[in-house]
């Protein structure tokens, strides 16, 4: 375990709360907040659904890799990552250099509830949403667990409780 990592990197499935928890955590710590999805939309000057629609997922992943590289250069930042960041091991290797990685684990029911009225996530749009969530979660869960330095089960927690749990874990384990 690295001592005094500069950044806190939040990993986890779509809709687990990385952005909302990350923003609050950053505010409490006086850290910057960075979201790799925001970096991607900035590079492309278009929304994520538009990137997927116009150029496809592969191109999105290329931009996401660039975003991981940029985010890893930050100092004292909370970094919320896109749920698929773990698909490319290089992203993780990069983020690990300067950050501690926290997996925010959420069950499929919570994810379903949090993404129900959302149309900004192309991978959940087509077909049955719950089936998509369960399939992708089964595929990705082992990677989140492998890459996370810590796992926090946010399923039963609200945002404030999630933030407190992260702080408690980092304070006692780093
Ligand atoms: C994705 C997650 C999204 C976004 C894109 C792809 C994924 O980010 O990067 O739609 O592959 O899981 P959030 O996890 O912030 O929703």
């Amino acid at each position: 375990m690295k001592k005094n990592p500069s950044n806190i990197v939040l990993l986890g499935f779509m809709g687990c709360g990385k952005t909302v928890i990350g923003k609050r955590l950053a505010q409490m710590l006086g850290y910057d907040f960075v979201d790799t999805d925001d970096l991607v939309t900035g590079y492309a000057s278009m929304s994520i659904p538009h990137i997927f629609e116009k150029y496809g997922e592969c191109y999105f992943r290329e931009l996401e890799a660039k975003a991981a590289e940029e985010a890893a250069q930050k100092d004292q930042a909370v970094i919320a990552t896109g749920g698929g960041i773990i698909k490319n091991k290089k992203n993780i290797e990069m983020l690990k250099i300067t950050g501690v990685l926290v997996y925010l684990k959420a069950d499929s029911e919570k994810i379903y509830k949090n993404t129900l009225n959302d149309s900004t996530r192309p991978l959940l749009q087509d077909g049955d949403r719950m089936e998509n969530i369960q399939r992708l979660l089964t595929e990705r869960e082992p990677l989140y667990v492998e890459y996370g330095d810590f796992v926090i089960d946010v399923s039963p927690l609200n945002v404030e409780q999630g933030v407190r749990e992260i702080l408690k874990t980092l304070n006692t384990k780093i």
Side-chain angles (χ1 to χ4, degrees):
M1 181 80 237
K2 46 197 158 298
K3 289 273 178 260
N4 302 321
S6 152
N7 299 322
I8 299 170
V9 181
L10 303 181
L11 302 179
F13 202 84
M14 293 171 264
C16 71
K18 289 163 296 191
T19 302
V20 61
I21 289 175
K23 278 187 178 161
R24 182 78 183 110
L25 182 63
Q27 189 188 37
M28 284 181 73
L29 293 171
Y31 276 28
D32 290 334
F33 175 75
V34 180
D35 191 318
T36 58
D37 283 341
D38 290 343
L39 295 177
V40 167
T41 54
Y43 301 148
S45 302
M46 66 178 86
S47 69
I48 290 176
H50 276 111
I51 299 172
F52 270 72
E53 195 188 334
K54 202 156 178 221
Y55 301 108
E57 181 175 349
C58 275
Y59 181 63
F60 171 82
R61 297 297 170 202
E62 280 174 30
L63 296 183
E64 187 173 53
K66 188 174 156 193
E69 197 175 343
E70 182 178 339
Q73 313 301 316
K74 304 284 178 191
D75 184 30
Q76 298 211 308
V78 175
I79 301 168
T81 59
I85 202 101
I86 39 86
K87 286 175 63 127
N88 181 347
K89 196 170 181 188
K90 270 187 162 173
N91 294 339
I92 299 299
E93 287 167 353
M94 200 100 68
L95 291 163
K96 268 204 194 256
I97 295 171
T98 52
V100 57
L101 272 55
V102 180
Y103 167 33
L104 301 184
K105 181 180 163 74
D107 57 36
S108 51
E109 282 76 25
K110 175 147 183 161
I111 291 165
Y112 182 79
K113 225 170 78 195
N114 285 352
T115 61
L116 194 55
N117 297 315
D118 173 78
S119 59
T120 64
R121 294 174 169 107
L123 297 179
L124 299 182
Q125 285 318 112
D126 296 335
D128 183 85
R129 181 161 295 223
M130 192 51 148
E131 263 175 39
N132 290 337
I133 290 170
Q134 285 171 340
R135 176 178 41 81
L136 286 171
L137 199 52
T138 305
E139 230 173 80
R140 292 174 175 186
E141 170 84 8
L143 295 173
Y144 294 132
V145 171
E146 180 186 342
Y147 297 146
D149 295 306
F150 305 111
V151 180
I152 296 187
D153 187 354
V154 292
S155 302
L157 307 181
N158 64 28
V159 172
E160 288 303 320
Q161 290 167 330
V163 170
R164 270 208 299 277
E165 204 52 38
I166 294 171
L167 287 172
K168 201 168 84 191
T169 302
L170 294 180
N171 282 335
T172 54
K173 297 200 177 152
I174 290 188

